Amino acid sequence: ADLTASFHDHTFQTPLMNASGVYCYTTEELDNLLASKAGTLVTKSATINYRAGNPEPRYRNLALGSINSMGLPNEGLAYYLDYVLKKQADPTVPTLFLSVAGISMAEDLDMLSTIDQSDFNGLTELNLSCPNVPGKPQVAYDFEATEKMLAAAFERFHKPLGVKLPPYFDLTQFDIVAQILNQYPLAYINTINSIGNGLYIDVDSETVAIKPKGGFGGLGGAYVLPTALANVHAFRQRLNPEIAIIGTGGIENGADVFAHLLAGADLVQVGTQLMKDGPDVFTRLAAELADIMNAKGYHKLADFKGKLKTL
Ligand SMILES: C=Cc1c(C(=O)O)[nH]c(=O)[nH]c1=O
């Protein structure tokens, strides 16, 4: 089976990559991703300046996934922009993704301007869905703010741009959000971000799992797979075909990757399972996906991508 993934005019060795925020905070982690079977990588969502983030413990692996309230810790935009600019000079390195998540629309726009004026030749991911900055509502749950943000972004940003979206749970929300997104020349959407503000309770200790926000945090892992698949498929059914889709959420094995691609994803991102297994997870996921494709007689991703059947 050929796992080569095409994404606009870019080609990747596999459709697999990390989810922003996981294993992408330091240049060492990013280099380890490049050395793995991941097709490419995305950097931790950046703010203009360094952020320490929320007090720890702020991430916990759980039997059925994970919970996190990191609070947007990052080294600042320059750190990640320097990294991708240096790496893109190397012809053996695939096209890279750079993620930004400003605390305000003004900060987002400043960062987009900085990137636009740079020689960055990869794709930029505007994170509209961080659930863990206290007092900062998720932009993407405010449809008016989303529209304002996209209009302002495309006024000043001329490189390929994608948006990271939170999960939606209502079919009319898919209609409304898709109608907004279709008005803009987006390269892609990335769906889903963590399911915001879950609460894990440890019965033995009668305590929550993480310190910030009284234990409330974004859910990842197996908990979120059906929601992730629904969002990938709902947007595939509604978005202009020129807007590609990165499927994120709940991938533990090759079958989960296959399901995301069947639902309409062009690339898939792995968060919780990457946190649990490290970059070797991409070797296992690639092998498991290839085995499934071979068993089904599929030779390349296009043979089944987006071809989910209904009853
Ligand atoms: C960028 C902040 C995010 C964070 C975070 O830094 O708390 N956690 C998530 O699950 N998703 C995010 O988008």
Side-chain angles (χ1 to χ4, degrees):
D2 175 4
L3 301 188
T4 308
S6 59
F7 191 83
H8 291 292
D9 44 2
H10 310 284
T11 303
F12 302 109
Q13 66 170 342
T14 69
L16 310 169
M17 62 189 288
N18 69 298
S20 180
V22 180
Y23 211 93
C24 58
Y25 184 100
T26 65
T27 53
E28 291 74 24
E29 289 177 328
L30 294 163
D31 283 345
N32 288 340
L33 289 176
L34 288 179
S36 78
K37 285 288 278 186
T40 184
L41 62 77
V42 59
T43 56
K44 167 64 183 174
S45 293
T47 43
I48 289 183
N49 300 312
Y50 164 82
R51 268 178 70 90
N54 289 337
E56 297 180 331
R58 58 194 188 184
Y59 177 95
R60 284 283 300 279
N61 283 323
L62 304 168
L64 297 179
S66 66
I67 188 166
N68 92 83
S69 181
M70 309 302 284
L72 197 44
N74 73 95
E75 294 292 335
L77 177 62
Y79 180 91
Y80 301 104
L81 186 52
D82 289 352
Y83 179 82
V84 295
L85 288 173
K86 189 181 69 199
K87 285 296 169 186
Q88 73 181 25
D90 176 343
T92 70
V93 171
T95 303
L96 302 176
F97 290 73
L98 176 66
S99 176
V100 294
I103 298 297
S104 66
M105 180 161 139
E107 184 175 17
D108 272 329
L109 294 175
D110 281 353
M111 289 194 283
L112 290 176
S113 293
T114 299
I115 298 166
D116 201 54
Q117 286 146 26
S118 79
D119 294 333
F120 178 48
N121 68 14
L123 295 101
T124 299
E125 183 163 293
L126 178 59
N127 185 347
L128 299 178
S129 49
C130 180
N132 299 321
V133 178
K136 179 178 175 275
Q138 291 199 46
V139 173
Y141 283 157
D142 176 340
F143 302 144
E144 211 176 302
T146 299
E147 195 148 19
K148 241 178 98 203
M149 179 74 240
L150 289 174
F154 281 104
E155 262 170 35
R156 69 186 58 207
F157 195 74
H158 311 97
K159 297 176 188 284
L161 183 69
V163 288
K164 180 71 173 281
L165 298 174
Y168 298 100
F169 300 93
D170 184 290
L171 294 187
T172 54
Q173 286 178 337
F174 291 134
D175 295 335
I176 294 166
V177 175
Q179 190 267 330
I180 294 170
L181 298 170
N182 277 328
Q183 293 168 40
Y184 297 97
L186 285 160
Y188 72 95
I189 68 163
N190 180 347
T191 180
I192 62 173
N193 206 318
S194 53
I195 294 183
N197 297 300
L199 181 63
Y200 182 83
I201 293 176
D202 179 293
V203 170
D204 294 346
S205 64
E206 303 171 17
T207 315
V208 300
I210 54 175
K211 184 172 178 124
K213 296 169 53 177
F216 284 71
L219 299 178
Y223 287 124
V224 312
L225 181 62
T227 296
L229 293 175
N231 278 261
V232 167
H233 196 50
F235 281 114
R236 190 62 286 161
Q237 291 175 312
R238 290 166 172 79
L239 290 179
N240 297 337
E242 314 83 67
I243 303 180
I245 296 184
I246 297 182
T248 303
I251 289 175
E252 295 187 331
N253 55 46
D256 300 333
V257 177
F258 187 88
H260 263 273
L261 297 170
L262 204 57
D266 298 290
L267 299 177
V268 302
Q269 292 188 347
V270 183
T272 299
Q273 205 59 46
L274 170 58
M275 196 73 182
K276 290 181 176 180
D277 297 351
D280 287 350
V281 72
F282 295 114
T283 305
R284 173 172 67 84
L285 293 174
E288 290 173 355
L289 175 62
D291 288 348
I292 291 168
M293 289 172 67
N294 290 334
K296 287 168 173 283
Y298 293 131
H299 304 290
K300 56 192 187 308
L301 302 184
D303 290 346
F304 64 95
K305 187 170 74 169
K307 297 184 176 174
L308 174 64
K309 293 176 263 188
T310 52
L311 295 177

